[in-house]
Amino acid sequence: MLEGMRSERSRRAVLDATFEIAARKGYTGLTIEAVAASAGVGKPTIYRWWQSKGVLALDAVNDRMGQSRDFPDTGDIVADLTHQANLVIEQLRGDAGTVFRGVIGAAQSDPDLAAAVRETILAPRISKCSDRLARAVAAGELRPDVPLYNMVELLYAPIYYRMLLGSADLSPHLTRARIEYTLQGLRPRP
Amino acid sequence: MLEGMRSERSRRAVLDATFEIAARKGYTGLTIEAVAASAGVGKPTIYRWWQSKGVLALDAVNDRMGQSRDFPDTGDIVADLTHQANLVIEQLRGDAGTVFRGVIGAAQSDPDLAAAVRETILAPRISKCSDRLARAVAAGELRPDVPLYNMVELLYAPIYYRMLLGSADLSPHLTRARIEYTLQGLRPRP
Amino acid sequence: MLEGMRSERSRRAVLDATFEIAARKGYTGLTIEAVAASAGVGKPTIYRWWQSKGVLALDAVNDRMGQSRDFPDTGDIVADLTHQANLVIEQLRGDAGTVFRGVIGAAQSDPDLAAAVRETILAPRISKCSDRLARAVAAGELRPDVPLYNMVELLYAPIYYRMLLGSADLSPHLTRARIEYTLQGLRPRP
Amino acid sequence: MLEGMRSERSRRAVLDATFEIAARKGYTGLTIEAVAASAGVGKPTIYRWWQSKGVLALDAVNDRMGQSRDFPDTGDIVADLTHQANLVIEQLRGDAGTVFRGVIGAAQSDPDLAAAVRETILAPRISKCSDRLARAVAAGELRPDVPLYNMVELLYAPIYYRMLLGSADLSPHLTRARIEYTLQGLRPRP
DNA sequence: TAGTAAACGAGACGGTACGTCACGTCTTACC
DNA sequence: GGTAAGACGTGACGTACCGTCTCGTTTACTA
């Protein structure tokens, strides 16, 4: 997407319209036609740059959520993970989370979209988290025999479970306790 | 409303056709029209009994997955949970899991369907698991101060995370180790 | 339709409901389902006694319009025809005319219905008119060499033309003049 | 709205398919779906350009019947009217007449369609006929005190009556005699 | 007077067509 | 030369009625 000014203007309008419609009417109410109309853009222009409604919405989500941030490293692994987890929860509770849920939903029957979700959203964040956990392992705070990826999963899976299948809203309320339980199981054997 | 013989015949044909089409062509390829045609049933008959494609597919999934089973209780909580988790994983790897994934996907932008998923699929299974964990708490094997529902989440969230967001296929491979880590954090303080 | 009280009660309710619905919502808005619901009668009961929506509506029209009346014979053929024509026009301008128009419309692509219309509505009236014209012929007021049926047509066709194809409402306004012109052409050659 | 090449191709295919289906299966057997399928056109394309089945069929009729023709003027008013009436009868006896009957039938419960029938079919023909009659009045062949529109009605109403309500087929057999009777009543008083 | 067969109300059923929506492609006109 | 605009063929949507088919339930006649 290296095109000239015209293209860039369209790109912005399309992403903004996509996000706004998806947030307001839900992923189901998001249609290419509505985006085109709302963005003042022709449908073929959208199809030229985005393969499907799913990747379009994913692009809009990424556009809003921004890059994944580096983990803090205060030396306190529980505090650092809790802090970061709460940031994620906060983000998922907003409009971006709503749209993201829709994208994940669509990805359940669209492998290409699922791969794109993993690559553009999950992978960078998993990577950042792994880095921090690696330092904790090096510091002797966590067992060295559990693959980092599995640790990340244990920590984040409950958040996604709540978002995708939970009856109650996501809440940062018990994050710290949960992370403590989880890390308890990942500490080196005494 | 009495469901006479014809109704029951139709119901069976519709659920079977739904499951078969959803498994073969994916949730996206599942259409009411195709179900009606394949089941030899009129579309209005489907709409009469099922509110949406989502609840129809959910019904078909429930029809195939059957009732949730009681947990075994061998006295070994790790073994019992591992056994049951592997049964769940096995089920989710089959056609029922494929269709179920599609239903969960659709539920991301359909609150009614989400509620139905929780009520008909998750709640009974959570309840059975909670019962087993309660006995473990009573036996002093697990901390009494963590709500049972949270324990269940910690145990099952990674499975659903893998199914819905994971890059690799679900596999029962490391289930036991994972459950050991998790329970480690839930044991009573020494 | 020789059945007992039950049948007769249903017959009345069905004919009344049919007429009322057809008058209020137009022939297009008349459905067997609505008639059944409004008459408090099962659909099969209607299908048992009436072959189609068309003959049902025709029955309702006949029920309301009543039998054709004998022509007056004052000795003044112009006055008698004018009087009778105005009665017909009056009837066609009311609800019965509205429903009748719908029936005639349906009869355009339903030969059975067309035949029924001719037999139950037109034929008796044509017959009565022919009788009066026959007396006028016998009295030397009209040419004997024009078939009576053709005379009737010349007299009544303009009324039906107005009803079925006219832009203005039917009106008795110029009936007398029109009949005078018409009869002028049917008088014996001087 | 510009009708480009594709539009025109579709328009032709739709009108042809409409006429052909209506002629073969009757107005009742004419469905938008069948037209779309037979014309190789999408249903929305038909709904985009035609408001209803009725106006579509009317368009098809007009397409086949062509423009109304000017009346001949041989100086013999009876001959001219007879000639033209026979042309009309001939046209109404063909497929166009069959379809036209269906349209008129539908117009009985569709005021918009009725108006369209009058405007596109009847009005131009009435106008042409009126012109010829006006010349006959000017030539002293017909009474000047009868509105031309009423004269036209007297002349054509029997044809439409036969088509819409008659038991026998339309036939040009007695046209001349009928017109002579009718004009007899419209001649100037001696 | 009780028993029974019909006709009944109700309404689900397999269908057909409806008119609409959004899809993704393609063409035209403009800038 | 790329773009907005939007018509196109396609196909599924969810709805309205169709005419048929059980269902019990009256109800009026028969025994």
Side-chain angles (χ1 to χ4, degrees), chain B residues 7 10 44-45 48-49:
Chain B
S7 247
S10 297
T45 298
R48 196 168 4 252
W49 300 108

Side-chain angles (χ1 to χ4, degrees), chain D residues 38-106:
Chain D
S38 163
V41 142
K43 276 198 293 174
T45 298
I46 297 180
Y47 284 107
R48 200 175 352 258
W49 302 107
W50 290 277
Q51 182 188 18
S52 68
K53 172 172 129 174
V55 304
L56 171 56
L58 175 58
D59 254 29
V61 168
N62 266 311
D63 184 62
R64 289 297 166 112
M65 298 212 314
Q67 297 297 317
S68 60
R69 277 160 285 194
D70 279 348
F71 262 61
D73 188 348
T74 64
D76 178 346
I77 183 67
V78 170
D80 290 354
L81 288 171
T82 303
H83 175 254
Q84 203 69 6
N86 281 335
L87 287 182
V88 168
I89 287 171
E90 218 48 61
Q91 208 166 35
L92 294 180
R93 295 175 75 186
D95 278 348
T98 302
V99 180
F100 188 29
R101 269 188 74 181
V103 172
I104 293 174

Side-chain angles (χ1 to χ4, degrees), chain A residues 18-19 22 27 30 52-62 99 103:
Chain A
T18 299
F19 191 87
Y27 188 82
L30 176 69
S52 70
K53 169 172 131 174
V55 304
L56 170 57
L58 176 58
D59 253 29
V61 167
N62 268 312
V99 181
V103 173

Side-chain angles (χ1 to χ4, degrees), chain D residues 75-146:
Chain D
D76 178 346
I77 183 67
V78 170
D80 290 354
L81 288 171
T82 303
H83 175 254
Q84 203 69 6
N86 281 335
L87 287 182
V88 168
I89 287 171
E90 218 48 61
Q91 208 166 35
L92 294 180
R93 295 175 75 186
D95 278 348
T98 302
V99 180
F100 188 29
R101 269 188 74 181
V103 172
I104 293 174
Q108 298 314 311
S109 31
D110 179 345
D112 289 352
L113 180 56
V117 167
R118 283 194 297 271
E119 281 162 30
T120 65
I121 308 245
L122 302 179
R125 288 163 175 81
I126 288 170
S127 172
K128 294 279 168 58
C129 185
S130 293
D131 291 348
R132 181 65 186 85
L133 291 174
R135 285 197 293 277
V137 169
E141 295 175 297
L142 296 176
R143 310 170 49 155
D145 63 331
V146 178

Side-chain angles (χ1 to χ4, degrees), chain A residues 32-33 43-44 47:
Chain A
I32 300 282
E33 299 224 330
K43 279 199 292 174
Y47 284 108

Side-chain angles (χ1 to χ4, degrees), chain C residues 95-143:
Chain C
D95 279 348
T98 301
V99 181
F100 187 29
R101 270 188 74 181
V103 173
I104 293 174
Q108 298 313 311
S109 29
D110 180 344
D112 289 352
L113 180 56
V117 167
R118 281 193 298 271
E119 282 163 29
T120 65
I121 308 246
L122 301 179
R125 287 163 175 81
I126 288 170
S127 172
K128 295 277 168 60
C129 184
S130 293
D131 292 348
R132 181 63 187 84
L133 291 173
R135 285 196 293 277
V137 169
E141 296 175 296
L142 296 176
R143 313 170 48 155

